[in-house]
């Protein structure tokens, strides 16, 4: 297991009566993420640590389990930081498909801000669609972007995050 920052082994493994139980960790690719508050709420309810990774300072709740990491504005700096630290069964919240692919390779569980899941089965298609849409935009074939974020998207995200946490905990009792 790779070392974690800012959490040491004492926060990575915490169990009753001296047992070593993995502690789930959530990483948020925070720039432009509309569900940060929802992640904080769910993480508090489940007692999970959250690391908010961004290119610039932003406000995060004052909570010992929530950490803001500002990585600077280098291209993919936040992605690199997350992938260097995410391990099996950590949760990564991102809409960035290349980051999702890299996090899956590290063993993380990846969900997007609309409640969708990136998996080994669908990441190849997602990457190919991303490239196709980029090409079509470049040649003027299409315009615009995704539909506006909705209350339904927020509800799907909350449901998926709870579902993912429960599934990971069932695999690691």
């Amino acid at each position: 297991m790779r070392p974690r920052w800012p959490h040491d082994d004492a926060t990575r493994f915490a169990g009753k009566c001296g047992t070593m139980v993995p502690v789930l960790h959530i990483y948020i690719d925070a720039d432009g993420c509309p569900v940060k508050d929802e992640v904080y709420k769910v993480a508090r309810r489940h007692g999970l640590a959250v690391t908010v990774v961004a290119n610039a300072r932003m406000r995060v709740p004052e909570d010992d389990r929530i950490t803001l990491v500002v990585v600077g504005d280098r291209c993919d700096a936040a992605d690199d930081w997350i992938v260097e630290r995410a391990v099996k069964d950590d949760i990564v919240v991102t809409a960035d498909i290349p980051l999702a692919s890299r996090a899956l390779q590290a063993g993380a569980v990846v969900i997007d801000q609309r409640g969708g899941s990136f998996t080994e089965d669908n990441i190849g298609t997602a990457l190919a669609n991303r490239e196709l849409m980029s090409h079509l935009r470049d040649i003027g074939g299409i315009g615009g972007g995704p539909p506006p974020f909705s209350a339904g998207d927020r509800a799907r995200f909350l449901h998926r995050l709870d579902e993912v946490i429960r599934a990971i905990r069932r695999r690691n009792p």
Side-chain angles (χ1 to χ4, degrees):
M1 183 176 298
R2 289 175 284 198
R4 305 176 66 87
W5 182 92
H7 309 285
D8 61 15
D9 288 338
T11 57
R12 179 64 179 161
F13 294 95
K16 296 178 181 175
C17 302
T19 60
M20 299 296 275
V21 178
V23 176
L24 300 179
H25 193 103
I26 303 173
Y27 292 95
I28 304 173
D29 181 16
D31 294 316
C33 178
V35 291
K36 292 185 287 288
D37 289 337
E38 287 75 10
V39 173
Y40 306 148
K41 178 181 170 183
V42 172
R44 279 188 191 111
R45 188 171 64 239
H46 289 279
L48 306 180
V50 176
T51 301
V52 180
V53 185
N55 295 110
R57 294 205 58 77
M58 63 178 55
R59 187 163 172 75
V60 298
E62 296 216 9
D63 185 313
D64 290 342
R65 291 183 175 261
I66 300 172
T67 304
L68 172 65
V69 175
V70 178
V71 293
D73 58 1
R74 182 180 55 82
C75 182
D76 294 331
D79 300 7
D80 293 343
W81 196 96
I82 291 169
V83 170
E84 288 169 6
R85 288 156 182 85
V87 296
K88 183 177 183 339
D89 289 336
D90 281 341
I91 300 168
V92 175
V93 177
T94 187
D96 181 323
I97 297 168
L99 170 57
S101 177
R102 294 172 64 198
L104 286 169
Q105 290 173 359
V109 177
V110 185
I111 60 176
D112 71 23
Q113 60 202 23
R114 294 177 187 269
S117 290
F118 291 107
T119 66
E120 293 295 335
D121 292 336
N122 70 15
I123 195 65
T125 302
L127 286 165
N129 284 340
R130 177 183 179 273
E131 289 304 312
L132 174 63
M133 298 305 283
S134 176
H135 176 71
L136 290 174
R137 278 190 296 275
D138 289 347
I139 63 172
I142 60 167
F149 192 76
S150 70
D153 294 328
R154 194 172 307 280
R156 275 187 298 281
F157 174 80
L158 282 166
H159 176 75
R160 177 71 59 170
L161 184 56
D162 266 328
E163 185 177 75
V164 164
I165 291 167
R166 285 192 309 271
I168 292 169
R169 287 193 164 152
R170 278 193 304 272
R171 285 195 307 265
N172 301 294

